[in-house]
Amino acid sequence: MTAYIVRRFFYAIPILIGVNLLTFILFFVISSPDDVARSQLGDRRVSTEAIESWKADHGYDKPLLYNPSAGGWGKFGDTIFFQKSLRLFVFDFGQSDSGRDIGYDIRQRMWPSLAIAVPTLLLGVLLNITFALVIAFFRATYIDFWSVVLCVVLLSISSLFYIIGGQFLLSKLLHLVPISGYDTGINAIKFLLLPVIIGVIAGVGSGTRWYRTIFLEETEKDYVRTARAKGLQESRVLFVHVLRNALIPILTGLVVILPQLFLGSLITESFFAIPGLGSYTIEGIQSQDFAIVRAMVFLGSLMYIGGLLLTDISYTLVDPRVSLK
Amino acid sequence: MMLLGISAAHPAWNNPYPSQEAGANVMYSSFKERPKHLDPARAYSADEYSFIAQIYEPPLQYHFLRRPYELIPLTARGMPSIRYLDRNQVELANGAATAAIAFSVYEVTINSGIQYQPHPALARDSDGLYRYHQLTEEQVSGVYKLSDLTYSGTRELTAYDYVYQIKRIADPAGHSPIASLMARYIVGFDQFSEVIKTARREAGKAFIDLREYPLSGVSAVDRYTYRVLIKGKYPQFLFWLAMPFFAPMPWEAEKFYAQPGLSEKNITLDWYPVGTGPFYLAENNPNLRMVLVRNPNFHGETYPSDGAAEDKAAGLLQDAGGALPFIDRAVFSLEKEAIPRWNKFLQGYFDDSGISSDSFDQAVRFNAQGDATVTEQMQSKGINLSTAVDLSIYYMGFNMLDDVIGGNGDRARKLRRAIAIAVDFEEFISIFANGRGIPAQGPIPPGIFGARTGRDAINPYVYDWVDGRPKRKSIGSALRLMREAGFVGGVDTNSGIPLSLHFEAVARGPDDQARLNWMRKQFDKLGIQLIVRSTDYNRFRDKMLKGTGQIFFWGWNADYPDPENFLFLLYGPDAKAIHNGENASNYQNPDFDSLFEKMKNMDNSPRRQALIDRMIDIVRRDSPWIWGFHPKSFSLHHGWLRNVKPNLMANNTLKYNRINAEQRRISRQSWNRPVWWPLVAAVALLSISMIPAVVSFRRRQRRAAL
């Protein structure tokens, strides 16, 4: 397995370079270094000299990808792309174009994101699996039918509606929780209740449907028929035998998103004024702060690659038939 | 008493603040965008000024109540003395001709005894040495925010600190947005910048003490007086002295923040201000909240005892002579979305609020006279409305370099004037701004010297004076102008080609689409086909810089209340496509330019007014802009927040606000009693609905077990 992990690690390097290059090209198709400078210096009374001076100070005065005036390796090395990208691979994100340390900001903002994402994921999975098993238990009955209808309705509603509706009902009408905000430590709980409840409810429809499908597929298998033939209770068949064997597809969906949890959710964090990472990338794009965009895209890709690797590893843990070579 | 009893029995569960703060003398507000910079040399936006103007103190400030806006001393002992010199630096007599003035000397004397806020950069040990100017790597490793440093200190504000700050503006590393402007006026500014640039190149990342480098035009006369030498006459410099750019900066702060390791923790001067103002920044988390706390070393200032005529009746003079600031703390929470922001205001958790277009109808109604007032729902909560015409203008500009729509020829001028009549900005304000604006008659907003009122104010090329108010000319007048310009029914009579014009638009969403459709309809009244070229702001700005656009929509906010700050937007040598200035329509008229040069350095006087009248008449005739509108700011505040008067020039108004915390506590609790029964009912209903499922489950279990 170690060889497999090392191989995957080396596979990741060209992927990360490619993603970084693509981000770089897309960003600078829309914003030139002059635009970046103007967005940092403001619109008013900005002279050409001020723009040139800002670019020189922030390393944006070089050619983008190829420097014909440099010699040798400098043709590629003495460019904005190379100078700005290389440090990412040692996790040195540097400073944002507005002067803040990106690594520090990421470390600060990942905790609030995790504070919402982890309970939402755990509660959501627990609830969805329970609902799905119960529905599978009542398969081909009116409970199954109406549960599926309800799930389809729930998954058809926009997450924005859940947020606005939840804020309206629980905070504005019933006055039970703060409508938005955040605090540290134990004081954070009252602010997390509403986003977590909404996050769980918003995911119930799709999650339950997905797990129901997995469980129903599993119940058609021979070992389930055998278990039933032996006279096991239906609940034991489902909650013990089916659940254990359905773990592989469940893990596929779950483990891949685990590392990305700390990247947060843009809409949730924005509406609940949670100072997480969800809005960090968008803020970077809106303020044309390439340093932030670059760092967050790099991190996102890394997390995704890490998630896929973890998924592969988790297969070996839940299914002894799988081995990584 | 009954209310208090109820309040005690039902604590507000949705209160986002700690319960122990309930009766505290704290103001709660919000901010939409996190500030980019808190360094006074760098900050230049309203978001940033709402914080730093409470912390940093320039020598002058705007009177809180008086109108028109008036400068008064802040840290200065009096208004700066101004002397004029000829080219040999010999003093000229008062009233000397502007042409004879080669230099102006501004001398500012500040009050003695003003202390800085407590700050680690100023902390000294028993030997008088700075405690934190030589931080070791180990010390830095334990510091995550400024308050992690145990000791803080202070010292007296001196004139040297003001000189130091002006040098910071000139320092190229600071990227001050006004550096290039100040280089035009402050003697020796450019040379100083060059010297510092070289010094920084040689020093690398090491701290450079700007005190060691002289700036010839700026010097401290003594501990409390400093002098600025200006090229020529520049009366607007006084206004700059009321902006945070010219607030003092202790050299110790720069030295402290320049230490290695601090910037990696975002502990920089750009994020942790050091000021003498009524508040200091106690909590700095721009992703969550910013907390300003009363500065224990504040030098003291009193609430004004006079103001505009209506202020006494409005209760704005009740606190006359009271010691400022009135509040102990101000908590600003980041609230990006309008819906939670608005609801928190209605719940009493924000003391003030703007009004988004979504909540406008819920908050504001217009009476028969067209005056805005709050709705009954707002009245029942004791919410008050403040309105003021902004010192801003949104205008539609024509690129005067364009072959069709630009130039000073009679044909193009008539075409522009016809369009100016056709584009109905009264309708625009009503549809797209909820009535929050007044149609502009020229570039200068009301309330600034040079703007006329009543019949004299109207633009006679677009409006008639009918029944005591301006009335837009009929579309027939516009069509007549079109015919005179050689366009009949929108068709060029010479070529027979229908006229189509290009509108450079920055469109971001569906709302913009509605606005653009409306714009097309306005041009359609004249038979002109308007082709909208939607783009992002970068490309739009690029087109403006290159002068390739044809028609565009843009705006300007006043830096200071002087007509020069608006008329320069039409000054030829500031043409954007030619000189990279702020004249986006690239308008050039030698008569206007010559009058502008005379007017800009004059003191306000009937003679200056006469020049402005002539200039306004020229630009109205040439019509390089459709004059658009001056927006009106509407803001709401709860009854417990007092001393609220819109002041569009002053940013340091937090110190005047007063809170009735007890009234707020009672209101909050009565508005936010927890309502449990729907939740209990829902759980009960769910439980009942599950009974058949449970029964069925048990039946199946038994069946399987058989």
Side-chain angles (χ1 to χ4, degrees):
Chain A
M1 188 158 74
T2 312
Y4 177 81
I5 294 171
V6 171
R7 199 163 64 244
R8 288 288 294 267
F9 174 77
F10 282 109
Y11 285 166
I13 293 173
I15 295 172
L16 289 172
I17 292 173
V19 168
N20 204 25
L21 181 65
L22 201 64
T23 312
F24 183 85
I25 292 168
L26 287 174
F27 186 92
F28 283 103
V29 161
I30 295 167
S31 311
S32 68
D34 278 20
D35 295 328
V36 175
R38 279 199 194 91
S39 70
Q40 294 303 323
L41 293 171
D43 249 349
R44 299 156 71 91
R45 303 180 184 277
V46 178
S47 64
T48 313
E49 297 77 42
I51 288 168
E52 293 306 320
S53 161
W54 188 92
K55 279 163 49 186
D57 282 1
H58 290 80
Y60 286 103
D61 55 341
K62 297 178 168 54
L64 290 174
L65 286 163
Y66 182 73
N67 188 350
S69 58
W73 170 244
K75 285 186 188 301
F76 297 98
D78 196 20
T79 59
I80 296 177
F81 175 71
F82 188 82
Q83 301 283 335
K84 299 269 176 194
S85 303
L86 194 65
R87 290 186 309 178
L88 288 176
F89 287 86
V90 290
F91 295 97
D92 177 5
F93 299 121
Q95 290 202 319
S96 70
D97 291 335
S98 62
R100 284 182 70 87
D101 190 82
I102 296 173
Y104 182 85
D105 272 351
I106 290 174
R107 286 193 296 278
Q108 294 291 308
R109 295 177 74 146
M110 61 184 266
W111 298 113
S113 291
L114 281 173
I116 296 181
V118 171
T120 306
L121 180 80
L122 294 180
L123 284 174
V125 167
L126 197 70
L127 206 66
N128 296 346
I129 289 178
T130 310
F131 283 167
L133 283 169
V134 170
I135 294 169
F137 182 86
F138 290 111
R139 66 191 172 279
T141 65
Y142 77 98
I143 293 176
D144 184 21
F145 176 78
W146 286 110
S147 298
V148 172
V149 169
L150 186 65
C151 285
V152 171
V153 170
L154 287 173
L155 69 88
S156 307
I157 297 170
S158 147
S159 58
L160 196 61
F161 179 85
Y162 284 110
I163 292 172
I164 295 172
Q167 286 183 326
F168 180 79
L169 181 71
L170 291 177
S171 181
K172 195 179 177 188
L173 283 186
L174 305 184
H175 307 139
L176 296 177
V177 285
I179 200 162
S180 66
Y182 190 72
D183 212 334
T184 49
I186 194 87
N187 295 328
I189 293 174
K190 69 175 176 183
F191 296 104
L192 294 175
L193 276 174
L194 188 55
V196 169
I197 290 171
I198 289 173
V200 169
I201 293 174
V204 159
S206 55
T208 305
R209 279 267 291 164
W210 166 240
Y211 294 131
R212 175 186 167 275
T213 311
I214 292 170
F215 293 139
L216 285 182
E217 199 178 304
E218 206 64 28
T219 52
E220 300 300 318
K221 293 190 175 164
D222 290 344
Y223 75 89
V224 176
R225 198 174 301 121
T226 309
R228 283 178 183 150
K230 282 167 68 181
L232 287 183
Q233 283 188 331
E234 186 65 11
S235 60
R236 187 168 172 76
V237 172
L238 275 177
F239 288 85
V240 177
H241 295 276
V242 171
L243 180 58
R244 187 181 294 167
N245 283 288
L247 275 180
I248 289 189
I250 292 174
L251 280 175
T252 313
L254 281 182
V255 180
V256 76
I257 60 168
L258 277 179
Q260 294 177 69
L261 288 183
F262 91 102
L263 292 177
S265 155
L266 164 67
I267 297 177
T268 305
E269 289 177 9
S270 189
F271 269 83
F272 291 104
I274 307 280
L277 278 176
S279 48
Y280 196 42
T281 315
I282 298 298
E283 279 174 23
I285 293 169
Q286 283 171 344
S287 61
Q288 300 186 52
D289 198 320
F290 176 63
I292 293 176
V293 176
R294 180 192 66 211
M296 290 306 292
V297 171
F298 179 83
L299 216 52
S301 337
L302 201 66
M303 293 297 111
Y304 193 74
I305 292 167
L308 290 175
L309 185 62
L310 279 178
T311 310
D312 288 351
I313 295 168
S314 66
Y315 285 159
T316 62
L317 301 177
V318 293
D319 189 345
R321 292 169 299 178
V322 178
S323 68
L324 302 175
K325 291 178 183 171
Chain B
M1 284 303 290
M2 197 178 76
L3 267 177
L4 278 173
I6 294 168
S7 308
H10 300 281
W13 285 41
N14 63 354
N15 185 353
Y17 310 115
S19 52
Q20 61 268 27
E21 280 185 10
N25 185 17
V26 180
M27 185 184 162
Y28 297 98
S29 192
S30 61
F31 61 107
K32 279 188 271 189
E33 295 287 333
R34 70 180 210 165
K36 273 186 183 171
H37 303 286
L38 298 178
D39 180 343
R42 188 85 189 267
Y44 199 14
S45 75
D47 296 337
E48 295 158 345
Y49 278 7
S50 60
F51 298 110
I52 65 167
Q54 325 307 331
I55 299 165
Y56 287 107
E57 291 189 309
L60 306 179
Q61 64 178 335
Y62 289 93
H63 194 282
F64 178 47
L65 299 174
R66 286 183 207 152
R67 300 291 182 274
Y69 293 103
E70 184 184 327
L71 286 174
I72 57 170
L74 178 53
T75 58
R77 197 174 294 166
M79 291 301 285
S81 73
I82 306 167
R83 291 179 292 123
Y84 299 113
L85 312 177
D86 66 12
R87 66 181 61 171
N88 299 316
Q89 302 225 0
V90 175
E91 190 164 340
L92 293 163
N94 272 347
T98 304
I101 298 171
F103 300 100
S104 309
V105 182
Y106 285 73
E107 201 164 281
V108 183
T109 302
I110 58 165
N111 285 307
S112 59
I114 296 174
Q115 299 286 318
Y116 279 100
Q117 67 175 77
H119 195 281
L122 303 173
R124 291 172 186 254
D125 60 18
S126 53
D127 297 327
L129 299 171
Y130 289 103
R131 282 183 183 275
Y132 299 123
H133 282 205
Q134 303 288 337
L135 287 174
T136 62
E137 208 171 302
E138 192 186 345
Q139 281 176 302
V140 172
S141 67
V143 176
Y144 296 97
K145 51 189 186 300
L146 210 54
S147 54
D148 290 337
L149 295 165
T150 316
Y151 296 96
S152 61
T154 186
R155 74 159 169 81
E156 190 188 29
L157 170 73
T158 67
Y160 302 103
D161 302 329
Y162 284 96
V163 173
Y164 194 85
Q165 171 66 3
I166 298 174
K167 289 179 178 177
R168 292 186 72 241
I169 297 172
D171 181 353
H175 301 291
S176 176
I178 61 161
S180 51
L181 178 79
M182 287 303 136
R184 284 195 223 165
Y185 292 107
I186 296 178
V187 173
F189 196 95
D190 269 341
Q191 294 86 333
F192 179 83
S193 295
E194 281 305 314
V195 169
I196 296 298
K197 198 173 180 179
T198 312
R200 286 207 180 278
R201 204 177 299 132
E202 288 165 3
K205 286 186 173 177
F207 167 68
I208 286 190
D209 190 344
L210 299 180
R211 292 176 302 166
E212 293 168 8
Y213 299 85
L215 198 172
S216 59
V218 184
S219 57
V221 178
D222 58 38
R223 188 172 170 81
Y224 302 113
T225 304
Y226 68 100
R227 194 179 282 160
V228 183
L229 188 62
I230 297 286
K231 296 170 195 167
K233 189 179 178 185
Y234 184 43
Q236 290 80 15
F237 187 66
L238 275 182
F239 296 117
W240 288 105
L241 290 178
M243 293 175 78
F245 290 114
F246 287 86
M249 182 60 68
W251 67 270
E252 294 95 329
E254 278 221 316
K255 164 90 173 148
F256 169 80
Y257 287 115
Q259 295 177 94
L262 291 180
S263 69
E264 283 76 12
K265 295 176 177 184
N266 287 332
I267 301 176
T268 63
L269 187 49
D270 209 15
W271 286 104
Y272 288 93
V274 191
T276 59
F279 298 95
Y280 70 92
L281 190 61
E283 185 179 340
N284 178 5
N285 184 349
N287 304 316
L288 179 61
R289 70 176 153 252
M290 310 282 271
V291 179
L292 295 171
V293 172
R294 181 195 289 262
N295 175 8
N297 299 339
F298 185 50
H299 51 83
E301 194 184 345
T302 54
Y303 190 89
S305 50
D306 65 312
E310 68 279 6
D311 290 341
K312 193 166 187 180
L316 286 165
L317 289 171
Q318 284 178 11
D319 281 319
L324 301 176
F326 292 125
I327 57 172
D328 295 333
R329 230 154 60 93
V331 177
F332 295 86
S333 305
L334 178 63
E335 203 70 66
K336 288 183 183 171
E337 299 297 333
I339 295 172
R341 188 167 56 241
W342 175 243
N343 284 321
K344 270 176 153 174
F345 172 68
L346 293 183
Q347 289 173 336
Y349 295 127
F350 288 143
D351 297 326
D352 59 1
S353 171
I355 313 174
S356 71
S357 51
D358 292 340
S359 45
F360 190 82
D361 291 339
Q362 190 188 350
V364 178
R365 66 176 181 193
F366 289 95
N367 62 20
Q369 288 75 43
D371 298 325
T373 176
V374 289
T375 57
E376 283 174 15
Q377 187 197 350
M378 298 296 117
Q379 273 175 2
S380 68
K381 283 179 169 272
I383 291 171
N384 302 309
L385 173 71
S386 300
T387 66
V389 177
D390 287 349
L391 299 185
S392 314
I393 184 166
Y394 287 110
Y395 63 90
M396 210 163 145
F398 299 108
N399 179 6
M400 296 297 279
L401 302 177
D402 185 76
D403 292 338
V404 179
I405 201 80
N408 281 329
D410 200 41
R411 180 181 157 97
R413 189 182 295 127
K414 283 183 173 166
L415 176 59
R416 292 193 296 269
R417 291 216 302 250
I419 296 170
I421 294 171
V423 181
D424 186 349
F425 266 99
E426 287 80 1
E427 192 178 273
F428 183 95
I429 294 165
S430 168
I431 296 173
F432 299 105
N434 297 110
R436 286 178 281 187
I438 58 168
Q441 304 291 338
I444 306 176
I448 287 186
F449 182 84
R452 295 277 188 184
T453 54
R455 187 173 195 152
D456 293 341
I458 69 162
N459 176 2
Y461 297 98
V462 178
Y463 291 91
D464 293 316
W465 188 256
V466 180
D467 299 331
R469 56 178 53 207
K471 183 169 185 279
R472 185 172 287 274
K473 286 181 188 290
S474 69
I475 201 69
S477 316
L479 289 169
R480 196 177 317 120
L481 281 167
M482 285 287 285
R483 275 196 299 278
E484 289 169 18
F487 297 98
V488 178
V491 176
D492 187 338
T493 48
N494 294 332
S495 64
I497 298 170
L499 178 61
S500 61
L501 297 173
H502 293 98
F503 182 62
E504 310 299 334
V506 181
R508 295 187 180 94
D511 289 351
D512 294 311
Q513 208 50 49
R515 189 169 53 84
L516 296 172
N517 286 338
W518 178 87
M519 202 64 85
R520 281 192 197 98
K521 282 182 191 164
Q522 305 306 303
F523 281 74
D524 197 43
K525 292 177 193 169
L526 303 176
I528 300 172
Q529 188 194 2
L530 186 72
I531 299 166
V532 175
R533 294 202 287 209
S534 291
T535 184
D536 60 76
Y537 190 63
N538 286 340
R539 299 286 79 75
F540 170 78
R541 197 165 44 192
D542 207 39
K543 283 179 183 177
M544 292 297 104
L545 278 170
K546 289 175 180 159
T548 53
Q550 206 167 29
I551 304 173
F552 58 92
F553 195 79
W554 223 345
W556 180 259
N557 290 320
D559 290 308
Y560 41 78
D562 190 83
E564 179 266 352
N565 199 230
F566 285 89
L567 293 169
F568 92 112
L569 300 171
L570 293 160
Y571 180 51
D574 273 329
K576 192 172 270 297
I578 305 163
H579 305 288
N580 195 18
E582 296 294 347
N583 174 1
S585 61
N586 302 302
Y587 174 65
Q588 295 177 89
N589 182 314
D591 294 338
F592 179 90
D593 292 348
S594 145
L595 290 168
F596 177 82
E597 280 152 21
K598 284 182 197 156
M599 179 282 303
K600 69 174 184 177
N601 293 331
M602 288 172 75
D603 300 317
N604 290 343
S605 62
R607 210 172 131 243
R608 194 180 197 212
Q609 178 70 60
L611 289 182
I612 292 168
D613 289 344
R614 283 171 62 195
M615 293 168 72
I616 298 285
D617 189 50
I618 290 170
V619 289
R620 279 174 176 166
R621 189 198 63 217
D622 288 348
S623 199
W625 294 359
I626 300 174
W627 302 105
F629 68 103
H630 306 295
K632 260 177 141 175
S633 63
F634 280 41
S635 65
L636 297 169
H637 61 273
H638 285 286
W640 58 72
L641 178 65
R642 284 178 35 200
N643 300 336
V644 178
K645 179 174 181 176
N647 188 318
L648 303 165
M649 295 318 308
N651 297 291
N652 60 345
T653 54
L654 184 65
K655 61 188 173 186
Y656 303 112
N657 292 154
R658 183 189 277 282
I659 292 282
N660 184 336
E662 188 56 14
Q663 186 190 343
R664 177 174 62 191
R665 189 182 68 78
I666 293 169
S667 299
R668 274 182 183 175
Q669 290 196 344
S670 67
W671 295 344
N672 296 290
R673 285 184 206 132
V675 183
W676 277 107
W677 70 263
L679 217 59
V680 174
V683 171
L685 202 67
L686 201 69
S687 306
I688 293 166
S689 68
M690 284 176 69
I691 291 173
V694 172
V695 170
S696 172
F697 180 82
R698 292 170 69 92
R699 197 184 304 137
R700 277 177 167 237
Q701 283 286 80
R702 281 197 299 273
R703 194 173 59 201
L706 287 173

